[in-house]
Amino acid sequence: ETIENCLRCISSQTYPNVEHIVIDGGSTDGTTEILARVADTYRMSWISEPDSGMYNAINKGLRMAQGDILAYLNSDDLYLPYSIEAAVEALSAGRQMIYGDIGLFYPGEPPAFVPHFYPEFDLNYYTHLATLGQPTVFWTRRLTQAVGEFDESYRLLGDCEYWLRAATRGFIPVHVAEILAVQVEHGSTLRATMPELMQKEFLKLRAQYLSEAGPVQGRIRKDVNRRLRWRRDQLLFILAGSERARAWPRFMQFLRDHRINVKKSGLLWFLLPGPIRPSTATLLEPEEIKRALFD
């Protein structure tokens, strides 16, 4: 039910040089019928066959891809129209892996949209306390040639392992101050349906990179800093709505193009602690951003 929105967002990219490969795991839920119907319209190729898990499928796609810049997008997530163009621009400056900020879209009634911001890469922090927003990560073929494919022993956190592996091999991910993707938060995501496996794989991941990252450092201090930085970024997001915005300029232009205003009143909610903040709190009018993303 989400695949066509994903396909459409890639075919609508402002960057024209996109090779789009869809890897389906032999599904029987109607996905392949959609792929067959829209393949030419959305300029993509696809295969459907059984696999041993998500990262086995991603590795298949990597082997098929011909481009110098690589990324993958799960079928329930979205790129913004400028996402690939922004990533290519950032990687053309000599970086090998970049990641951006992300918009979290909650499709309930009423829907909500919450921007989520990431700090600069720190191996200890991203090993023990946080993860990168997977849909926002782009990297070069040179990096994959150097560090190899995704570890298929992971079912949920192979992407997190890949970012850490790249960093320990000298390919430090670089943060780009732009919202590069939208992650749709619904109850049937793997991370929502397999919490025990998620926790087990986090323990495995942290043990695997303990020698390189060291034990967790300053957990309380970093947690306080994370909360303060999050509120600061919410304020900056509201102030960035001007024509000369330096932060998230492409996303702010996207909002202007769709006549969506950042809700200044929303800041009051985000100053509150999470447990007493309404789940519907949002900085953007939810129905308007839903229309811009999906219509």
Side-chain angles (χ1 to χ4, degrees):
E1 61 193 37
T2 63
I3 183 72
E4 194 160 357
N5 287 325
C6 181
L7 300 175
R8 185 185 304 114
C9 83
I10 297 175
S11 71
S12 302
Q13 290 295 301
T14 56
Y15 185 80
N17 234 4
V18 177
E19 178 191 33
H20 185 193
I21 302 167
V22 179
I23 310 296
D24 176 77
S27 62
T28 58
D29 60 358
T31 296
T32 55
E33 286 81 358
I34 295 173
L35 295 174
R37 173 171 55 83
V38 303
D40 291 339
T41 301
Y42 294 133
R43 303 187 303 277
M44 57 86 178
S45 59
W46 62 281
I47 62 170
S48 179
E49 61 186 25
D51 56 49
S52 60
M54 173 166 54
Y55 299 106
N56 177 245
I58 292 167
N59 284 335
K60 288 181 186 179
L62 290 178
R63 292 176 206 133
M64 295 169 64
Q66 300 297 307
D68 293 325
I69 292 174
L70 304 168
Y72 76 93
L73 192 65
N74 290 314
S75 61
D76 49 2
D77 296 328
L78 304 168
Y79 288 146
L80 283 304
Y82 56 77
S83 295
I84 294 177
E85 181 178 20
V88 170
E89 180 181 299
L91 289 165
S92 296
R95 299 155 176 154
Q96 301 299 319
M97 177 178 282
I98 62 100
Y99 64 99
D101 299 323
I102 200 167
L104 304 178
F105 182 79
Y106 298 84
E109 292 298 333
F113 182 91
V114 180
H116 187 73
F117 312 107
Y118 294 87
E120 298 297 329
F121 190 83
D122 173 85
L123 182 62
N124 185 270
Y125 179 78
Y126 280 107
T127 298
H128 296 289
L129 302 176
T131 63
L132 302 182
Q134 175 273 313
T136 76
V137 182
F138 294 76
W139 66 97
T140 65
R141 176 171 297 282
R142 177 190 168 204
L143 184 149
T144 290
Q145 291 170 339
V147 307
E149 298 181 337
F150 284 77
D151 183 346
E152 296 179 17
S153 70
Y154 285 91
R155 292 188 62 193
L156 302 177
L157 297 180
D159 53 317
C160 300
E161 190 280 328
Y162 200 68
W163 321 146
L164 297 181
R165 191 193 327 160
T168 59
R169 304 281 181 86
F171 299 96
I172 306 298
V174 176
H175 178 249
V176 174
E178 188 59 87
I179 293 181
L180 290 183
V182 175
Q183 184 167 291
V184 181
E185 297 286 345
H186 55 82
S188 58
T189 60
L190 291 178
R191 59 185 173 276
T193 58
M194 299 182 179
E196 293 181 358
L197 178 60
M198 177 79 78
Q199 182 61 27
K200 180 179 179 180
E201 290 200 350
F202 267 126
L203 293 175
K204 173 184 175 181
L205 182 73
R206 289 161 183 162
Q208 183 175 344
Y209 286 94
L210 181 62
S211 61
E212 290 91 347
V216 61
Q217 299 170 1
R219 181 187 294 272
I220 296 176
R221 174 178 56 82
K222 288 182 178 181
D223 187 59
V224 171
N225 287 342
R226 177 183 62 82
R227 295 171 186 272
L228 292 174
R229 184 178 61 249
W230 189 82
R231 285 162 174 78
R232 179 205 67 187
D233 287 339
Q234 300 294 320
L235 174 60
L236 291 177
F237 186 82
I238 289 176
L239 297 177
S242 69
E243 290 286 340
R244 294 193 296 270
R246 297 181 62 185
W248 314 288
R250 287 182 168 95
F251 185 72
M252 291 301 164
Q253 184 61 54
F254 172 80
L255 296 182
R256 288 192 292 271
D257 290 344
H258 290 275
R259 298 177 180 170
I260 300 173
N261 295 318
V262 180
K263 296 172 63 175
K264 294 180 173 58
S265 61
L267 180 63
L268 298 176
W269 292 122
F270 290 98
L271 293 176
L272 297 174
I276 63 174
R277 186 185 312 121
S279 60
T280 56
T282 182
L283 295 181
L284 302 173
E285 186 60 45
E287 291 296 340
E288 292 182 357
I289 192 68
K290 181 179 179 180
R291 169 181 49 79
L293 292 173
F294 300 106
D295 290 351

